[in-house]
Amino acid sequence: MYSRDGSLHFSTLKYIKQSPLHYANAVARTDFDSPAMRIGRAVHGLVLQEIEPIVFDGDRRGKAWTEFKEGRDVADVLNAAEWDKVQRMRDAVFADPFAKAVLDTCTVREESLEWTRSGHPCKGRLDARSPSRSAICDLKTAKTVQPWQFMRDGVRQAYHAQLPWYDNAQGKSIGNWSDQFVIAVESVAPFPVQVFQLSPLLILQGWDETCLWMEKFDECIQRGNFRAGYKAGIVEWDAELVFGEDEDEEDEECQD
């Protein structure tokens, strides 16, 4: 089961780590959008390509809105407050010397990629890379870029797997990975920016995770079934797993 364009995309494949059923649902969905995602796309366009979004600050109903949206895709139309936020986030990124240094190195922006992995067609878009392909960068917007919290959330969102996935698309693999960076900007004032560089161990862990996803995808293809949930069959719910915690708590209370 591929996406509608007949290929694998990281944005949906990552859901297979939850279950094949989650992956199938992600492929079928058409409502992957939110105000936060709209802001994120606008920040990407402005920072990486200097593309300004379309802004409409009136009431999104009535004659003026009807005339405005005619012939337009309004999914990425911002209001004045959103546009102000996007500009301030852009300014924050370029005001950060470490983020600016990475972007000055990674001058090839928003590159569309098509490649084959394990016999499967893949497509994606790399945020930025250096002309020599020695460094790649992903730009993220987030509620917080406080390092420990962002890194925890980033692993849950598989950011550490996304970069080696795209690095492999440009011919890199174990032993010759590019330097991999994430530029993260907070979406709430005062818009702090934090730059992260993936360690060699984290890159390897991310790559290994994508390998597991591909194995699971192949298994589903062979079975012709993406309807499996978390675990096949009936899971035994052992009482000791519950009461053991209670006993530990009681033991701690007795020691007081």
Side-chain angles (χ1 to χ4, degrees):
M1 175 184 288
Y2 296 118
S3 295
R4 290 179 179 83
D5 62 2
S7 61
L8 288 176
H9 293 260
F10 182 88
S11 59
T12 50
L13 181 63
K14 67 180 182 179
Y15 286 94
I16 207 167
K17 69 178 180 178
Q18 295 176 262
S19 75
L21 185 60
H22 284 85
Y23 168 75
N25 181 66
V27 169
R29 284 180 62 179
T30 59
D31 60 342
F32 270 121
D33 207 5
S34 67
M37 293 173 70
R38 182 170 65 246
I39 292 292
R41 289 193 296 271
V43 172
H44 269 73
L46 193 60
V47 170
L48 299 177
Q49 295 182 293
E50 299 182 355
I51 297 174
E52 295 189 2
I54 298 173
V55 179
F56 180 85
D57 199 39
D59 190 358
R60 298 198 178 196
R61 57 185 177 182
K63 182 178 180 181
W65 173 243
T66 300
E67 293 177 350
F68 176 85
K69 69 178 184 178
E70 185 175 354
R72 282 193 175 101
D73 180 1
V74 297
D76 289 330
V77 174
L78 306 184
N79 60 36
E82 291 172 331
W83 173 222
D84 178 68
K85 174 184 286 190
V86 167
Q87 292 178 88
R88 294 175 68 185
M89 293 170 72
R90 182 270 317 273
D91 293 345
V93 169
F94 285 111
D96 184 274
F98 301 101
K100 186 176 185 302
V102 172
L103 291 173
D104 286 346
T105 298
C106 297
T107 55
V108 180
R109 310 284 175 79
E110 295 285 6
E111 182 178 30
S112 295
L113 302 171
E114 295 187 25
W115 72 104
T116 300
R117 179 169 172 182
S118 301
H120 299 293
C122 303
K123 290 183 180 180
R125 186 181 293 272
L126 179 61
D127 281 358
R129 68 167 173 85
S130 64
S132 64
R133 302 181 189 272
S134 61
I136 62 174
C137 168
D138 203 26
L139 176 63
K140 299 292 186 185
T141 59
K143 290 182 180 179
T144 176
V145 300
Q146 195 282 334
W148 285 110
Q149 188 167 343
F150 181 86
M151 289 188 288
R152 182 199 63 191
D153 294 343
V155 169
R156 189 171 63 248
Q157 296 293 330
Y159 294 163
H160 67 305
Q162 184 174 12
L163 282 164
W165 170 270
Y166 285 128
D167 209 15
N168 179 247
Q170 59 171 2
K172 302 288 186 173
S173 60
I174 296 174
N176 72 329
W177 297 114
S178 304
D179 292 333
Q180 300 181 12
F181 299 91
V182 174
I183 298 174
V185 54
E186 209 160 284
S187 57
V188 180
F191 310 109
V193 174
Q194 188 70 53
V195 179
F196 301 85
Q197 181 173 4
L198 275 64
S199 72
L201 178 58
L202 185 61
I203 292 172
L204 183 59
Q205 289 175 342
W207 173 250
D208 287 346
E209 188 163 345
T210 66
C211 291
L212 292 175
W213 300 348
M214 296 298 293
E215 290 175 7
K216 188 177 291 188
F217 182 84
D218 282 334
E219 290 172 2
C220 293
I221 290 292
Q222 291 169 9
R223 292 197 305 264
N225 180 14
F226 282 84
R227 302 301 300 172
Y230 294 108
K231 194 172 181 65
I234 297 174
V235 177
E236 181 181 7
W237 192 347
D238 193 338
E240 292 181 0
L241 297 178
V242 177
F243 296 128
E245 294 179 2
D246 291 340
E247 291 171 358
D248 290 342
E249 291 175 0
E250 290 176 359
D251 288 341
E252 290 176 0
E253 291 175 358
C254 291
Q255 294 172 4
D256 290 341

